[in-house]
Amino acid sequence: MVDKSQVIGLCRSLLRAGRQYPDYNIREYAKRRTLDGFRMNKNLTDHSKVEEAYAEGKKQLEIVERVVKVYSAYPPKTKNIMELKLQ
Amino acid sequence: MATTFSASVSMQATSLNVGGLNENASCIDEQQVTTTRISFQKPVLVSNHGRTNLSFNLRRTRLSISCAAKQETVEKVSEIVKKQLSLKDDQQVVAETKFVDLGADSLDTVEIVMGLEEEFGIEMAEEKAQKIATVEQAAELIEELMQAKK
């Protein structure tokens, strides 16, 4: 039985995991994708669909955590221009 | 004789002690039989109907809500909230504003909390972050964590 707080917790975990990418592009994509994904399924009422979506989210969380480690092994040498603050 | 007062005034032949109200103080609502001083935040008409000893009940003229978080933290939080929810600049966001009142659902709240974590460089625990519903609560939690960091 998946309840609202679990879903919110999953969203938070995904956002936190996505924050750790050293590469600006992937980092922003992870944040954008999780929010879009959760918003898209926001109004699901069918319980089996909710469970399905939750399981999918958990799988993605594992993937993100694993890939963060790989990307951190080869961080980019320079900062992306989008990350520089406007002078 | 009838007298009007504005700002703080001291008057003889009165026995009353009223606490002044301001943002950070808790309200003292007492009536004591002591000497003199009255200070009002608002102008009040006090009339002595020919009596030498004047004492009267004054209910709280204004209920003060004590704000435990610093004003600048609250303002920073409000800025971030406005940006995240794409609110207009003249939309009023004060300490007591609830996120739902600004049209945010729980996902938007999560996003706001993430933005706050990034801005202040702190990490909020899951259970505490879930309880945040107003700007005030967010600011208090942020200050708590920043204090702990030092």
Side-chain angles (χ1 to χ4, degrees), chain B residues 51-142:
Chain B
R51 289 174 233 146
T52 47
N53 201 12
L54 192 68
S55 64
F56 47 90
N57 251 330
L58 238 194
R59 277 206 315 276
R60 284 179 192 172
T61 53
R62 193 175 79 227
L63 187 67
S64 79
I65 300 168
S66 65
C67 184
K70 279 186 261 183
Q71 187 58 29
E72 48 178 12
T73 317
V74 171
E75 282 190 19
K76 269 195 193 173
V77 173
S78 310
E79 273 304 308
I80 293 175
V81 170
K82 274 197 198 175
K83 206 165 58 158
Q84 287 278 9
L85 299 175
S86 309
L87 299 171
K88 287 192 263 227
D89 272 335
D90 54 353
Q91 172 98 19
Q92 225 212 1
V93 180
V94 289
E96 293 86 35
T97 316
K98 289 198 215 142
F99 295 134
V100 282
D101 292 339
L102 300 168
D105 65 352
S106 49
L107 283 176
D108 291 322
T109 310
V110 173
E111 209 182 331
I112 290 172
V113 169
M114 284 289 138
L116 290 172
E117 282 190 10
E118 265 187 66
E119 174 71 27
F120 290 95
I122 49 176
E123 285 266 331
M124 293 192 193
E126 178 72 35
E127 318 79 38
K128 288 204 178 166
Q130 286 218 2
K131 293 207 186 87
I132 294 181
T134 70
V135 174
E136 172 67 39
Q137 289 169 349
E140 282 179 7
L141 192 53
I142 288 170

Side-chain angles (χ1 to χ4, degrees), chain B residues 13-24:
Chain B
T14 320
S15 50
L16 183 68
N17 187 0
V18 175
L21 297 171
N22 60 33
E23 212 181 285
N24 287 330

Side-chain angles (χ1 to χ4, degrees), chain A residues 8 14 23-24 30 32 35 37 48 53 55 59 69 72 74 85 87:
Chain A
I8 297 291
L14 270 165
D23 181 14
Y24 170 84
R32 207 166 54 228
L35 289 170
S48 61
K59 216 169 67 175
K69 293 195 178 93
S72 301
Y74 294 95
K85 289 211 191 310
Q87 302 274 331

